Amino acid sequence: MTRHALIAWAAFACLCLSAADAALAQGGPSGRAPPPEGEAAIAQRMNANTVTVISGTPGGTYFRMASDLAFALDDGDALRILPVLGKGAGQNAYDVRFLRGIDLAFVRTDTLDQLRQDPRLRNIESHIAYVARLFNDELHVIASRDITDYRQLEGKKVSFDVKGSGSDYTGRAMFDGLGLKVEAVNVDQPTALKLLAAGEIAALVSVAAKPVAVLTSITDAERYHFLEMPYTEPLMKNYFPARLTHDDYPRLVAAGESVNTAAVGTILASYAWPERSDRYRRIARFVDAFFSKIDALQQPQRHPKWNEVNLEASVAGWSRFPAAQEWLDAHRGGGAVSAATRQALRRDLRDRAPDLRPGERDRLLDEFMRWRASRQ
């Protein structure tokens, strides 16, 4: 089967799929089983269809949401999401830019500014793109009740979580925006709570999606509280006003009250791979499944932060990953193709042209999808 014949077949198949998706998903209209695969073919297929997502520490919001992606988007050998433990948004920015084998990462809207401050890096905007803006991470500052104003932290020891975490970079940047100079300490949050209890640090900072599990575990509300953090002009470039409420932290915030603070946006980012590369096609396959199944991620059993996600939301100063923008453009024009439909086409192509390498099949299918979107 020639290249043009395959593309012509795909056009015909897409017109007929509305009544045949279920049958195709079971192996194609012919009902024939695909030819047996050897070990080399199995390895190639599994690697071609596995996407790694670097997240955060165990139990944290990023790791929980990466796990949601793995469960909700799993499609056997057709698409597998592999969550990877990480240090948090600060280190994730470097990992998605430089670490081999990392396809996607949870980073933040201030990540580009973070990387621009590294004198070793050049032209960072051309190397990282965003797939989608996800949700906000709120600034939490916990201190003993004898500290009533954030300015009392001046010159004191304050924990910003482990080095390389999102709290480490964003928390410090927020403090700098407030003109607040403190002695930064980098320890994990459970250790920081012990140091706070012993009076060895003045406050604990966490920049994370509320409610933060380690903070909900605090039971001694008579001793600790959240500090009000003002939203000032220097914060307006990268951050947003936010509130912590009684519903978020019933032990630390009284009913009917709230605590003003700031927040930063979380982004699902990718390295900016060339459009004809295998890594680009792998992320494009993820985008198709993620965007098509966003409703499944907003079900009650998933992390509540998924309900904040608006796939069409843009991020100032960032470029959208092209496959994500193409999906949105096609969706707005009524030309979106579901993940199930795309996978049905892929399987039928495999049955009809078993001699083609998986990468070549994907290239032909991607070319057809781009042509179809342009025709819509």
Side-chain angles (χ1 to χ4, degrees), residues 6-304:
L6 282 169
I7 294 176
W9 164 83
F12 171 77
C14 196
L15 292 173
C16 301
L17 272 174
S18 59
D21 276 358
L24 285 171
Q26 296 299 319
S30 65
R32 297 174 309 196
E37 293 180 297
E39 289 185 355
I42 292 172
Q44 183 181 18
R45 175 168 46 80
M46 288 183 65
N47 283 281
N49 297 325
T50 297
V51 175
T52 57
V53 183
I54 193 156
S55 56
T57 54
T61 301
Y62 290 175
F63 187 74
R64 288 178 58 192
M65 298 189 80
S67 299
D68 285 344
L69 289 172
F71 287 115
L73 306 187
D74 182 81
D75 191 16
D77 288 340
L79 180 64
R80 181 186 178 196
I81 312 301
L82 192 64
V84 179
L85 287 174
K87 287 185 176 181
Q91 183 62 46
N92 288 358
Y94 286 88
D95 291 342
V96 74
R97 170 63 181 90
F98 294 107
L99 194 61
R100 293 176 182 174
I102 297 300
D103 295 302
L104 299 163
F106 287 86
V107 299
R108 288 178 173 160
T109 51
D110 60 357
T111 286
L112 291 182
D113 281 350
Q114 172 192 350
L115 297 179
R116 288 188 192 108
Q117 292 173 17
D118 190 330
R120 301 169 297 175
L121 307 185
R122 297 288 184 274
N123 199 23
I124 192 63
E125 297 85 352
S126 65
H127 295 293
I128 300 179
Y130 79 101
V131 172
R133 190 192 189 285
L134 300 180
F135 52 87
N136 286 340
D137 286 329
E138 291 80 16
L139 169 66
H140 303 72
V141 183
I142 285 279
S144 59
R145 289 196 174 270
D146 61 315
I147 296 179
T148 59
D149 188 286
Y150 76 97
R151 287 167 291 195
Q152 292 175 256
L153 298 178
E154 183 76 27
K156 292 183 170 63
K157 289 184 177 180
V158 175
S159 171
F160 289 88
D161 206 345
V162 297
K163 193 171 183 59
S165 67
S167 296
D168 186 31
Y169 174 76
T170 301
R172 292 190 195 211
M174 288 177 167
F175 272 44
D176 287 345
L178 294 172
L180 184 59
K181 304 300 181 184
V182 299
E183 183 179 344
V185 175
N186 289 114
V187 295
D188 62 84
Q189 302 290 41
T191 300
L193 282 176
K194 293 179 180 179
L195 295 177
L196 184 63
E200 296 182 31
I201 60 174
L204 175 159
V205 171
S206 174
V207 184
K210 62 180 184 180
V212 179
V214 70
L215 301 183
T216 59
S217 68
I218 297 175
T219 58
D220 194 356
E222 297 297 321
R223 186 175 181 183
Y224 305 109
H225 69 142
F226 288 118
L227 290 179
E228 289 260 352
M229 305 301 292
Y231 184 66
T232 61
E233 185 174 353
L235 299 181
M236 293 180 183
K237 177 185 176 183
N238 289 320
Y239 308 117
F240 318 94
R243 291 189 306 161
L244 308 177
T245 69
H246 174 74
D247 290 340
D248 302 321
Y249 299 99
R251 293 173 178 170
L252 293 168
V253 181
E257 296 184 3
S258 63
V259 178
N260 292 319
T261 188
V264 61
T266 284
I267 295 171
L268 189 61
S270 166
Y271 184 78
W273 295 102
E275 289 197 26
R276 293 188 177 274
S277 67
D278 288 337
R279 298 293 287 274
Y280 181 95
R281 283 187 292 275
R282 185 185 305 178
I283 296 169
R285 189 175 303 128
F286 165 85
V287 166
D288 183 43
F290 176 37
F291 285 18
S292 298
K293 297 182 179 180
I294 188 63
D295 290 347
L297 289 163
Q298 295 174 336
Q299 297 303 307
Q301 69 270 29
R302 305 301 177 195
H303 196 287

